[in-house]
Amino acid sequence: MRQIPTITKNLLIINVICYLAYVVLGGRGIDLNDIFGLHYFQATDFRLYQALTYMFMHASFEHIFFNMFALWMFGGVIERTFGEKRFLIYYLVCGLGAALCQEVSQFVQVYLMVADQGGTLADVMRLDTADRMVLNTWTTVGASGCIYGVLLAFGMTYPEERMFIFPLPVPIKAKWFVIGYAAIEVALALMQRGDGVAHVAHLGGMLFGWLLLRSWRKTKPGFNGWDGYEVKDDSKTILGRIRSWLHLDHDNDKDEDLNYGRQNTTSRHQQDWEYNARKNEEKKQTEAEIDRILDKIRKSGYSSLTEEEKKKLFEQRR
């Protein structure tokens, strides 16, 4: 755990604690997912804070396991690349974006149901209390929107990185992995299978992650290796003031070198190859030198060796 970056580690801990509390208190008749999960905004149990708390709640062990596994696998890399503050902001924005998209999706579903009964948009906006209570059953929980955003960031930051994905027998590039995941989610969302999975929320996390990354790369050329954009002086705009207030342009953490994580990862294979090539060359030179010394012993005896040759032979025997 000590090697996991701070924000990623804390997110893992918080999610696990929330799930354990959900399990323990659930046995005593207290449903934390109903309290902190995201309800449809017209439901009687909807609270604004749920747009934040829902992303730390999970419905089952499998649900939290796969989300936290993905967070552990990709979150640390992205945090080292973005820096602690940017990564936390990115993570939360993806989660909030996923919540917004899920609410819009559910609103469309309500409208279609009302329209099937001859109702109008005005009827949707003035649902009675009984209908609003029924809508309490629509509860969304999970960090999946955040995780899909992290996957997108990994695919955009390290598109050529090769990954082994079970059950595929060959590695695939990160960019194709992310595109494939997004395509599957789009297909499942359009099919409306009713499998209880918030596919639109997953796509929403990716959408808002993409929008935020686009914003960052336009305002900060060279961010994660993106360049070719003119620096915009937006210090007098609202977004500029927010960035200044959050010190996003002057982070004291790993933002000082935003390219560190990317350069470190993308150059690792090259460094390994150079290291192995150098070691092999040194080994060949050593073996050639030992062969020469042994040949000298066969021809002239051990006493003909110099002190340096004796030392090399002794070290090789050790």
Side-chain angles (χ1 to χ4, degrees):
M1 287 289 285
R2 279 182 284 183
Q3 295 182 350
I4 303 176
T6 303
I7 301 300
T8 301
K9 178 171 63 177
N10 288 334
L11 289 173
L12 289 169
I13 293 173
I14 293 172
N15 276 277
V16 171
I17 290 176
C18 289
Y19 178 72
L20 292 177
Y22 160 72
V23 173
V24 172
L25 295 179
R28 302 183 178 182
I30 301 175
D31 188 356
L32 291 183
N33 281 355
D34 186 55
I35 299 173
F36 296 110
L38 178 65
H39 289 276
Y40 176 58
F41 73 94
Q42 288 183 295
T44 56
D45 289 345
F46 171 77
R47 301 293 183 273
L48 190 60
Y49 65 78
Q50 294 168 354
L52 178 65
T53 58
Y54 89 99
M55 63 185 79
F56 299 100
M57 309 303 299
H58 290 83
S60 65
F61 174 77
E62 293 80 6
H63 191 197
I64 188 173
F65 174 79
F66 287 109
N67 275 346
M68 294 304 100
F69 178 77
L71 177 59
W72 167 77
M73 187 172 182
F74 299 101
V77 177
I78 300 303
E79 181 178 346
R80 291 187 181 98
T81 304
F82 288 6
E84 293 179 1
K85 187 177 295 183
R86 279 186 187 270
F87 176 68
L88 179 59
I89 293 173
Y90 179 82
Y91 185 91
L92 295 177
V93 167
C94 289
L96 293 173
L100 178 60
C101 290
Q102 180 68 0
E103 293 291 312
V104 172
S105 173
Q106 291 178 340
F107 177 79
V108 172
Q109 292 181 56
V110 172
Y111 171 74
L112 293 176
M113 288 188 294
V114 172
D116 284 341
Q117 300 175 4
T120 64
L121 181 61
D123 295 324
V124 175
M125 301 307 298
R126 55 171 181 263
L127 295 175
D128 58 33
T129 303
D131 290 332
R132 295 174 62 201
M133 292 183 66
V134 171
L135 291 173
N136 284 327
T137 57
W138 286 2
T139 307
T140 304
V141 294
S144 299
C146 307
I147 300 304
Y148 272 74
V150 172
L151 291 177
L152 175 77
F154 184 84
M156 292 182 66
T157 308
Y158 306 106
E160 302 301 319
E161 190 74 13
R162 294 184 178 274
M163 307 165 56
F164 278 97
I165 306 297
F166 181 82
L168 299 179
V170 294
I172 63 173
K173 293 183 179 180
K175 60 183 178 182
W176 301 123
F177 168 72
V178 172
I179 291 174
Y181 246 94
I184 292 173
E185 288 300 317
V186 170
L188 294 175
L190 293 176
M191 290 169 61
Q192 296 182 345
R193 298 177 57 187
D195 54 5
V197 179
H199 299 292
V200 174
H202 299 171
L203 293 171
M206 299 183 84
L207 172 63
F208 275 75
W210 179 79
L211 292 173
L212 185 56
L213 291 176
R214 290 278 297 181
S215 172
W216 281 349
R217 80 173 184 177
K218 287 183 178 180
T219 57
K220 195 175 185 65
F223 178 74
N224 299 331
W226 293 321
D227 51 20
Y229 288 87
E230 181 183 354
V231 180
K232 296 182 178 180
D233 182 11
D234 60 352
S235 59
K236 295 183 180 180
T237 65
I238 295 178
L239 290 177
R241 290 173 180 173
I242 292 176
R243 272 194 295 273
S244 177
W245 178 67
L246 292 173
H247 303 290
L248 287 180
D249 294 327
H250 305 282
D251 279 348
N252 292 324
D253 55 18
K254 295 174 184 177
D255 265 4
E256 292 179 355
D257 187 2
L258 290 169
N259 288 318
Y260 169 76
R262 178 183 177 89
Q263 294 171 350
N264 184 53
T265 301
T266 55
S267 64
R268 184 176 62 248
H269 302 305
Q270 179 68 15
Q271 292 173 352
D272 290 345
W273 183 88
E274 292 174 351
Y275 173 79
N276 292 331
R278 186 171 64 254
K279 296 299 291 184
N280 288 334
E281 184 63 26
E282 291 175 356
K283 183 178 180 181
K284 290 179 181 179
Q285 293 177 357
T286 301
E287 291 176 349
E289 179 66 12
I290 295 301
D291 289 342
R292 186 192 64 79
I293 294 174
L294 293 175
D295 187 59
K296 185 176 181 180
I297 293 175
R298 285 193 295 269
K299 292 180 179 179
S300 307
Y302 182 79
S303 59
S304 65
L305 299 182
T306 64
E307 291 299 324
E308 184 67 23
E309 290 171 338
K310 291 178 181 179
K311 181 179 179 181
K312 288 183 179 180
L313 185 62
F314 176 75
E315 291 177 349
Q316 183 63 22
R317 286 176 177 173
R318 290 182 62 188

